[in-house]
Amino acid sequence: MDDRELELNFPALKSCLETSRHLFVDISRIKSEPSYEEKRGGFGDVQVSTLDPETPLSKLVAAKTIRLRTQNQDHQRLAFRLARELKVWAGLEHPHVLPLLGFYLDEEYKMAVLLSEYMVYGDLKDYTVQQKPSWEMRLHLVSASVSLWKSWLNGVSRSATSQTDLHTSIGTAPLSVMAT
């Protein structure tokens, strides 16, 4: 099922956004960091940004702006895409998955952003390309990834999450490598 086939269930959207309200971050609290390169993906763009700049609590974050496949799609579908990602990501609890820090959705549903902690080494693909870890370390990372996906898939089979959620929401980006 793609976005064009997605039924627009507004009560479910409202419920999801209400239960996630504690994660809402006003866009004025996010400042893009131009010294970092933006990364484009199939469903969104990721930009390193600062959350709460010029405050003692400021921190670097990865801000994923969700985009629709075509510009002429109904903007309400953007809100549903965000809700679907919120549902999946908020349900992931694993030491190798970054927690969701927050999200932004404007009132007209024209802009949706997901926030996670910024990791210096990036996702698994970036880490292996840049750091060139040993084969032993690569095997460890693959083993951890397989373990994560296996436990997550077992949880999916016991929940109401659909296979569409699996394919559109999960990639290597939430799986980031921490500096040690």
Side-chain angles (χ1 to χ4, degrees):
M1 178 189 323
D2 65 17
D3 285 343
R4 289 167 285 157
E5 299 169 358
L6 185 66
E7 180 182 330
L8 300 181
N9 181 339
F10 288 98
L13 172 65
K14 184 177 180 180
S15 174
C16 178
L17 294 176
E18 279 299 318
T19 59
S20 303
R21 179 165 293 297
H22 66 285
L23 293 171
F24 180 82
V25 175
D26 190 273
I27 196 72
S28 65
R29 295 176 54 200
I30 306 167
K31 179 184 173 239
S32 179
E33 292 295 333
S35 60
Y36 292 86
E37 179 182 341
E38 180 180 70
K39 295 199 174 195
R40 295 186 61 84
F43 294 98
D45 306 319
V46 178
Q47 176 66 50
V48 176
S49 301
T50 301
L51 178 62
D52 296 326
E54 301 174 21
T55 71
L57 300 175
S58 72
K59 69 186 309 182
L60 283 180
V61 295
K64 176 185 177 184
T65 302
I66 301 171
R67 68 182 138 75
L68 297 170
R69 290 180 191 234
T70 63
Q71 292 295 330
N72 60 357
Q73 277 189 297
D74 183 1
H75 290 293
Q76 293 172 335
R77 294 195 184 279
L78 185 65
F80 284 90
R81 287 270 313 283
L82 173 74
R84 188 168 57 197
E85 290 210 32
L86 282 172
K87 177 184 170 188
V88 171
W89 199 351
L92 293 175
E93 290 184 35
H94 192 278
H96 297 295
V97 175
L98 293 174
L100 175 66
L101 294 179
F103 75 94
Y104 170 76
L105 178 65
D106 74 326
E107 291 180 10
E108 297 177 358
Y109 302 151
K110 292 184 178 179
M111 181 182 205
V113 180
L114 292 162
L115 299 172
S116 68
E117 191 173 333
Y118 170 71
M119 290 291 161
V120 175
Y121 292 122
D123 63 22
L124 287 175
K125 180 180 175 189
D126 290 343
Y127 175 77
T128 56
V129 168
Q130 295 170 8
Q131 300 300 312
K132 300 180 180 24
S134 69
W135 285 106
E136 182 179 339
M137 176 56 85
R138 288 174 194 236
L139 287 173
H140 172 73
L141 291 170
V142 168
S143 174
S145 299
V146 169
S147 170
L148 165 67
W149 298 133
K150 184 177 177 185
S151 65
W152 188 77
L153 286 171
N154 286 335
V156 167
S157 66
R158 292 189 302 271
S159 73
T161 304
S162 72
Q163 288 299 311
T164 301
D165 293 337
L166 169 67
H167 294 296
T168 61
S169 298
I170 303 300
T172 60
L175 251 172
S176 297
V177 181
M178 295 186 184
T180 55

